[in-house]
Amino acid sequence: MKLIFLGPPGAGKGTQATGVSTKLNVPHISTGDMFRSAIKNRTRTGLEAQRYMDNGQLVPDSVVIDMVRERLAMDDCKNGYLLDGFPRTVEQAEALEGIASPDAVINIAVPDERLLSRLTGRRVCGKCQGTFHVSKLADEKVCPVCGGELIHRDDDKPETIKKRLSVYHDQTAPLIGYYTGNGKLKTVDGDNRPEDVLKAILASLE
Ligand code: ADP
Ligand code: ZN
């Protein structure tokens, strides 16, 4: 199964993708995670991506497309993939058609006013990449899953979040029309408990 998770920043793509990729046994490929790991390792791609990410802007299409093309050529993608955070522009979607066309696109819909509080309260584990909301954490700095250190991402600060939301509406939301047009889009309500969103996603794939 070749799957795409679409949705605004903070919709819960990463959380849901983790559950669905285990269930369907396809690799969870998050371009955001790939860039953060490239930045940590100071690779050329990482250095190039960082200045865009820090400003809440998209990394240029050519950089992302090359990275995804290489990743999808790896052995573990033989039975499919679950892409989280890609494509984010129509140009990326068109490039993906020439690499490995998706079977279905899950659009996780959440109203803008809910996203701001989700993102400002988001903490990410530096070790297992899990994401959590501060309101549900006993200790704001310790991952409840693996004990790793929780980080407040630089791009989860209020000014950058506003920018990311506007970038989403301008550049990524047009993909809803793109994938509706080719009959692949399935929209689920992301403004629910995570376990219910997961159920809705799996049901939409039956
Ligand atoms: P979010 O929580 O907003 O979904 P991600 O972790 O997916 O965040 O991405 C973080 C940042 O990485 C984005 O704001 C963007 O700068 C960059 N990025 C990730 N995926 C892409 C992509 N497909 N195209 C361009 N930039 C991307
Ligand atoms: Zn962890």
Side-chain angles (χ1 to χ4, degrees), residues 98-149:
I99 303 172
S101 182
D103 301 310
V105 179
I106 308 283
N107 176 37
I108 307 182
V110 177
D112 264 10
E113 60 271 23
R114 300 275 300 115
L115 296 170
L116 202 65
S117 70
R118 282 190 181 198
L119 289 165
T120 46
R122 176 161 77 174
R123 299 294 180 271
V124 185
C125 177
K127 209 162 139 194
C128 75
Q129 272 25 280
T131 58
F132 309 92
H133 196 272
V134 280
S135 64
K136 292 187 185 139
L137 289 167
D139 185 331
E140 258 189 52
K141 295 215 157 11
V142 183
C143 173
V145 172
C146 79
E149 188 193 351

Side-chain angles (χ1 to χ4, degrees), residues 1-6 13-31 34 71-72 76-77 79-86 96 102 104 106 108 198 201-202 205:
M1 171 92 78
K2 289 171 284 182
L3 265 186
I4 290 173
F5 274 20
L6 198 65
K13 295 188 297 290
T15 306
Q16 296 302 332
T18 306
V20 174
S21 83
T22 312
K23 194 96 188 169
L24 301 181
N25 198 26
V26 288
H28 170 198
I29 301 170
S30 156
T31 45
M34 288 175 81
R71 180 64 188 85
L72 291 182
D76 62 338
C77 297
N79 297 320
Y81 57 70
L82 196 173
L83 279 170
D84 157 14
F86 182 94
L96 184 61
I106 308 283
I108 307 182
L198 179 61
I201 293 171
L202 295 172
L205 291 173

Side-chain angles (χ1 to χ4, degrees), residues 9-10 13 31-33 35-36 52-53 56-59 64 85-88 92 119 122 153 155 164:
K13 295 188 297 290
T31 45
D33 285 348
F35 283 132
R36 281 184 288 277
Y52 297 98
M53 290 175 73
Q57 292 172 303
L58 295 183
V59 178
V64 192
F86 182 94
R88 254 180 164 92
Q92 292 178 18
L119 289 165
R122 176 161 77 174
R153 268 168 50 178
D155 61 351
R164 285 161 63 209

